[in-house]
Amino acid sequence: MNKLRTGIPGLDDLLGGGIPAGSTTLLSGRSGSGKTIFGMQYLYNGASQHDEPGILVTLEARPNDLRAEALQFGWNLSDLEKSGKLTIIDAASSKAGLPTSEKFALKRGFDMEALAETIYNAIEETKAKRLVLDSISGLTLRFSEPSEVRRELYRISALLNELNITSLFIGEIDDSSTQSRAGVEQFIAQGLITLNLRENDGGLDRDLLIWKMRLTSHSMKKHPYVIDDKGIQVKKTQTKKKNS
Ligand SMILES: Nc1ncnc2c1ncn2[C@@H]1O[C@H](COP(=O)(O)OP(=O)(O)OP(=O)(O)O)[C@@H](O)[C@H]1O
Ligand SMILES: [Mg+2]
């Protein structure tokens, strides 16, 4: 089976090689856990190392802020955009009532049909293989019933699966929920990874857990990860030696 390497140091081995082609993975975590960085790293590595064009759909942050954030890790998104390897779809500006000069953008307000159409057009034009939707909370907050959340996410996910796009749906969670906000998002995805921030000794520790991944065996352990000037790096779990 074809797998797409995330290129995030330490992660692909835990996934049995990478993320299965054509699947949707939900990436959940609290605010500040590194979800946006993870998403950009996945797209940057795909475009720069594997010649796999990517699409970043941003629902909350404006594209220029993301370009600036990526640069601090040495990821020049603008260069990739110029060569057609990366496309940013700006769904954040119109929601905030701000003008946008982005080529791919929702022009006024927000609606799911327009978003799906813009995504479809961008995929057709760029022959994208990877997509990140940051974040689905920006979509799901519009629906009051979990069943509506599930239906809308399923529609987008099914479209992406049909087009053989390997996508990450980023979801925010808080203390009270361990996997997703509405409690249904994980069911429409074939993969689920959570990024956790834990209080420890008066500070914060980060660890990552793979809950599921389609058609593959994967690590079932919590793995510590760090964010530094190269982005995210997953560390090996310390295994205790016998008799010690
Ligand atoms: N250059 C850097 N070096 C080390 N850590 C960094 C650096 N830049 C950002 N971080 C860490 O990454 C965090 C932000 O990561 P990111 O924006 O991906 O979080 P997020 O999960 O998307 O949050 P939100 O849900 O609020 O969007 C910061 O709070 C900080 O801890
Ligand atoms: Mg974010």
Side-chain angles (χ1 to χ4, degrees), residues 113-145:
E113 297 299 330
L115 180 68
E117 195 180 321
T118 311
I119 291 175
Y120 183 82
N121 290 340
I123 293 171
E124 286 284 292
E125 186 171 326
T126 66
K127 304 284 172 255
K129 299 275 182 256
R130 303 182 178 211
L131 181 139
V132 172
L133 196 57
D134 188 5
S135 73
I136 57 167
S137 311
L139 303 176
T140 56
L141 285 176
R142 313 175 73 80
F143 305 105
S144 51
E145 294 294 324

Side-chain angles (χ1 to χ4, degrees), residues 22 119-120 123-124 128-129 158-166:
I119 291 175
Y120 183 82
I123 293 171
E124 286 284 292
K129 299 275 182 256
L159 168 73
L160 296 170
N161 292 174
E162 183 66 24
L163 297 169
N164 201 32
I165 307 295
T166 311

Side-chain angles (χ1 to χ4, degrees), residues 6 8 10 14-15 26 31 45 51 58 63 79 82 93 95 131 133 142 145-147 173 176 200 202-203 212 222 244:
T6 65
I8 293 173
L14 306 179
L15 290 167
L26 177 66
S31 183
N45 290 342
D51 200 22
T58 175
D79 278 356
K82 280 181 203 128
S93 299
K95 262 170 83 182
L131 181 139
L133 196 57
R142 313 175 73 80
E145 294 294 324
S147 60
I173 46 180
S176 57
N200 183 18
K212 64 170 179 175
K222 285 184 175 174
S244 67

Side-chain angles (χ1 to χ4, degrees), residues 31-32 34-37 60-61 66 69 134-135 170 172:
S31 183
K35 304 179 296 297
T36 298
I37 297 171
E60 261 118 81
L66 293 173
E69 202 189 341
D134 188 5
S135 73
I170 291 179
E172 292 153 8

Side-chain angles (χ1 to χ4, degrees), residues 16 29 44 47 59 64 77 83 89 97 113 135 151 181 201 215 224:
Y44 183 83
L59 285 133
N64 277 340
L77 302 188
S83 59
I89 296 181
E113 297 299 330
S135 73
R151 188 190 63 221
R181 186 192 282 260
D201 254 347
L215 299 174

Side-chain angles (χ1 to χ4, degrees), residues 30-37 69 72-73 206 227-228:
R30 286 160 73 158
S31 183
S33 58
K35 304 179 296 297
T36 298
I37 297 171
E69 202 189 341
Q72 60 169 345
F73 304 110
R206 304 180 192 274
I227 304 177
D228 62 18

